[in-house]
Amino acid sequence: MVKGSGKKRAVALRYDAQHDAAPKVVAKGEGILAERIIQLAREAGVPLREDSDLVEILSRIELNKEIPPETYLVIAEILSWVYRLNEKAGNETGSP
């Protein structure tokens, strides 16, 4: 989940390495819709990252479409960040 600063905007990505060639945009919105997307992500324990430039780029992608190759590097950085968060959370709870 990526959210922008300033005017509320949010874009949610999904990536299933077994089925997807690249992450897909699965939700996006502004204002109240962005707030709801963010709320649902928090309730589901989905990590949030604030990056208005990335939200600007990702919001141009149609729903359920894979991200374009030119965004792979930045998305790889976000996935690495998520993996580190998950690893840290696992270490704090004693999970393997």
Side-chain angles (χ1 to χ4, degrees):
M1 164 66 68
V2 183
K3 64 180 189 166
S5 57
K7 182 180 178 182
K8 283 274 191 203
R9 297 175 73 192
V11 177
L13 300 175
R14 184 195 79 213
Y15 178 62
D16 180 346
Q18 305 246 344
H19 298 100
D20 300 326
K24 292 181 180 181
V25 173
V26 293
K28 60 182 178 176
E30 294 183 5
I32 294 171
L33 182 55
E35 289 175 18
R36 182 68 176 140
I37 292 167
I38 292 166
Q39 176 188 6
L40 290 171
R42 284 188 175 130
E43 290 172 3
V46 174
L48 298 170
R49 178 161 176 148
E50 191 166 319
D51 187 327
S52 18
D53 293 332
L54 185 56
V55 167
E56 178 66 33
I57 293 166
L58 295 176
S59 65
R60 296 178 188 163
I61 301 169
E62 291 181 44
L63 287 175
N64 296 313
K65 297 291 182 183
E66 292 180 351
I67 62 166
E70 56 270 16
T71 63
Y72 286 2
L73 181 59
V74 72
I75 299 303
E77 291 172 6
I78 291 172
L79 289 173
S80 175
W81 172 75
V82 169
Y83 293 141
R84 286 192 308 271
L85 284 178
N86 288 340
E87 185 176 279
K88 181 179 177 186
N91 289 338
E92 289 175 359
T93 63
S95 299

